[in-house]
Each structure stands twice: as structure tokens, then as C-alpha cells.
Amino acid sequence: MHAITLNQPAPLAENPLHWGEVPTPSPGPGQLLIEVAACGVCRSNLHMIEGDWVDGGVPGISPIIPGHEVTGTVVAVGGDVDGFSTGDRAGVQPLWWTCEQCAYCTSGREQLCHRRRITGEHVDGGYAQYLLSNAAHTYHVPDTLDLTEAAPLFCPGITAYGAVQKLDLGPGTTVAVFGLGGVGHMAVQFARLTGADVIAVGRSADHLRVARELGATRVVDASAEDPGRTLADSVDAAITFAPSDAVTEQALAALVWGGTLVAGVPLAVSDFPFNKEQTIKASLLGNRAQMNEVLALATEGKVRSVVDRFPLREAPEVLGMLVAGKLRSRAVLENRAA
């Protein structure tokens, strides 16, 4: 099969990704072989490719195929699999495998499983013609969804949904979403579904335009004004998807006293005035029930992903566009032979 592989992490400028032929895997017990239709391009892919996570044991194998938000068609079914047949449309998110036994797995928080394996980081991912998936963490994709447009539901979608679910939003409340890329544009939609007013904060004209199209009540151009000052003490909640300490400070400044910040990215806080009784929560993906809720909302036409489509072979160039801020929202690689 053809695939994009990473042999050794290195800066993107050193061309660490390679296009070529690799053996097609066969599904073992509890596994599916999926012919990939599409795979989204996430900034997390870039972190792994460039070696930012080597100290944390990522990538877990070498060589490795990146990519963790995948849709396609089941072409082979391993033993001990119920609920999937060849020809089924399927999707895979970052959680490739969890132990099913720990306190997190048994309480609906499997994304926190300490033994979890991540698609495209510990096992081969979706920058390929075929993907081997764990059936227990594979999802049916409804026939009404375009497979390319559905791919981002499996990372930006579940990530944004999990973050919004950690807030008490509804009519009469206001939430500001900081960072409007692949995840942020989904968060705007999920927050709007609660009935809250949604303020979209970003620096890219394309990102702000997409946020308006998706129903943001208001947009703030962070390249022209300081959102912390513009929104000072005015929002009940904030969600950050921009890995910037300056953005974190702006989000905290925007919060009312007693407000809540949900961080979907790493953050550092140098000044946290306790007397405002603000709350900071972290959010990582979501559980399997929430992933199915995301798919249901997309099927009902209540949320959608905004995508730019590229051939799979152009993955290195697309990652470069991501770094340069030249993408409208979410880039998706298509296996156009699928």
C-alpha cells in the first residue's frame, strides 16, 4: 500500500516524511482493516513529526505513519469482532486502544487511560491507503455524511465537544472561543447549540470569516486589538485552543469574576487572582458516548466541518501550509484511489 512514513523525527524543513510503498497490514482479533478515504491534518501530527514529544515516548514505533482523524470503508474484519462488516463506513479518532479496566475506562473517562495508545503516535495512522483499527474504538459513519468532511469530526469535533461539555452554557450566557482553527471552528458551533452567545477570537481573516459563517455572535480580530481589554470582565466562560501564554492571559482577563476557562492546550499562568474565584479546567478529547453524540449532531445537520481537500501525497506541503497559517480551517488528505 502507499503511505507517508516518518523514519526519524526532524524539523519539517529537513523533509522527514517519505512517500512510498509499505506492507498492507492484516487485521488480528478485535481489529478491522479500513481503506482510508480521508485523514485530517492536525497540529499534533506536526509536533510528533518534528520531535517535540520524543521525551514522552512519541513516536512509539519507528518508522510510523502519522494521522489520527480518519474515515474510510471496512475491507477486512478480524476475529472476535461484532458490529462491523466489510463495506461499512467507519471512522477512527486519536484513541486507538484503551485498557477497559482502569478507573478512568470504567467511569467513562477512557481518554485519561494511562495505558492508552494513540492513532498515528503509538500505532500507524491514517496518512496511508489502509489503516488497521481497534474495533472497540471504531465508529460507524452514517451514509449521509461525506467521508472527507466527516474526518475532522474525529479529532477537532470530539475535542471541541468535550471542551464545551465542561461548561454550563445556555441562553443568557456568553462564551469566548480563542483560537479558530480546526478545533475552534467546531467549538463555535457546539457552543451555539447551547443557546449561548459566542464570541470568536482569532488572528486570521479566513478563520474569522468562517466563524461568522458558522454563527458566531461576534468576532474579535486579535491582530488588530487586545481581546483581553476589549472583552474585559464580560464573558461567563472562555475556551482556548491557541497554545500561547499571552492568549491565556487574554482569556482570563475576559472572564467575569467567577467565570470558567477551559484549556484545550498547554498553558502557564503567571498571575491568578484568587479573589475573582475563577476556575480553570483542562479538556482532552472526550469519551466514546460523546463521539457518537458528535456524529449524531453532524448527521442532523447541526454542525459541520469546514475543510480544504488535498491529495494524500501532498501531506508535507499541507503541514507547511499549517505552519504558515495559510489554511482556511481544517486540511484533509484524501486517498483518491479509495
Side-chain angles (χ1 to χ4, degrees):
M1 69 175 187
H2 51 257
I4 297 282
T5 58
L6 173 71
N7 295 324
Q8 184 71 32
L12 194 63
E14 296 180 12
N15 301 314
L17 296 174
H18 305 280
W19 169 266
E21 296 296 315
V22 300
T24 301
S26 297
Q31 296 179 344
L32 305 169
L33 183 66
I34 297 172
E35 184 174 14
V36 174
C39 182
V41 178
C42 181
R43 189 169 289 273
S44 295
N45 303 158
L46 184 66
H47 283 300
M48 183 193 76
I49 290 164
E50 296 200 311
D52 296 341
W53 295 341
V54 169
D55 290 344
V58 175
I61 59 173
S62 182
I64 191 168
I65 300 169
H68 63 223
E69 53 195 75
V70 190
T71 57
T73 303
V74 176
V75 293
V77 179
D80 301 322
V81 172
D82 293 320
F84 282 96
S85 302
T86 57
D88 286 352
R89 289 154 50 96
V92 178
Q93 58 134 308
L95 280 183
W96 191 90
W97 177 91
T98 57
C99 76
E100 310 284 358
Q101 298 174 347
C102 68
Y104 300 109
C105 286
T106 56
S107 62
R109 297 175 293 163
E110 58 260 31
Q111 67 270 28
L112 300 181
C113 176
H114 291 6
R115 296 171 58 196
R116 66 181 183 257
R117 296 178 190 169
I118 302 300
T119 314
E121 294 180 12
H122 301 117
V123 298
D124 284 331
Y127 287 17
Q129 186 176 5
Y130 295 97
L131 168 77
L132 201 62
S133 79
N134 171 20
H137 283 278
T138 303
Y139 303 83
H140 288 278
V141 177
D143 291 341
T144 54
L145 294 180
D146 176 88
L147 287 175
T148 297
E149 293 176 2
L153 299 175
F154 290 93
C155 180
I158 184 59
T159 299
Y161 189 72
V164 171
Q165 289 285 297
K166 287 182 169 63
L167 293 168
D168 184 18
L169 299 177
T173 62
T174 301
V175 59
V177 178
F178 290 76
L180 301 174
V183 183
H185 92 283
M186 298 298 301
V188 167
Q189 297 176 77
F190 290 126
R192 283 292 292 154
L193 289 178
T194 70
D197 289 327
V198 181
I199 301 173
V201 183
R203 304 182 64 85
S204 162
D206 283 340
H207 289 175
L208 293 169
R209 189 177 304 112
V210 168
R212 288 192 192 95
E213 293 172 358
L214 296 175
T217 311
R218 176 183 175 189
V219 299
V220 175
D221 184 353
S223 68
E225 56 188 310
D226 181 346
R229 292 183 179 180
T230 301
L231 302 175
D233 299 323
S234 68
V235 303
D236 301 293
I239 309 175
T240 57
F241 296 116
S244 161
D245 293 343
V247 169
T248 298
E249 291 179 5
Q250 292 166 356
L252 286 171
L255 282 179
V256 298
W257 290 34
T260 301
L261 166 65
V262 172
V265 289
L267 55 76
V269 179
S270 59
D271 181 22
F272 187 65
F274 77 95
N275 60 302
K276 292 185 178 181
E277 291 195 357
Q278 294 170 332
T279 300
I280 297 177
K281 297 181 179 181
S283 186
L284 175 70
L285 295 170
N287 60 33
R288 278 173 282 192
Q290 290 174 320
M291 185 68 246
N292 283 317
E293 289 166 9
V294 169
L295 289 168
L297 289 170
T299 302
E300 294 166 9
K302 294 180 178 179
V303 297
R304 64 183 177 90
S305 60
V306 176
V307 303
D308 293 313
R309 303 168 185 245
F310 300 90
L312 172 61
R313 190 165 187 164
E314 294 181 7
E317 292 79 8
V318 174
L319 286 160
M321 294 173 66
L322 175 64
V323 173
K326 295 182 178 179
L327 296 172
R328 181 175 53 134
S329 190
R330 196 53 150 196
V332 178
L333 304 173
E334 295 180 317
N335 173 31
R336 293 181 178 171

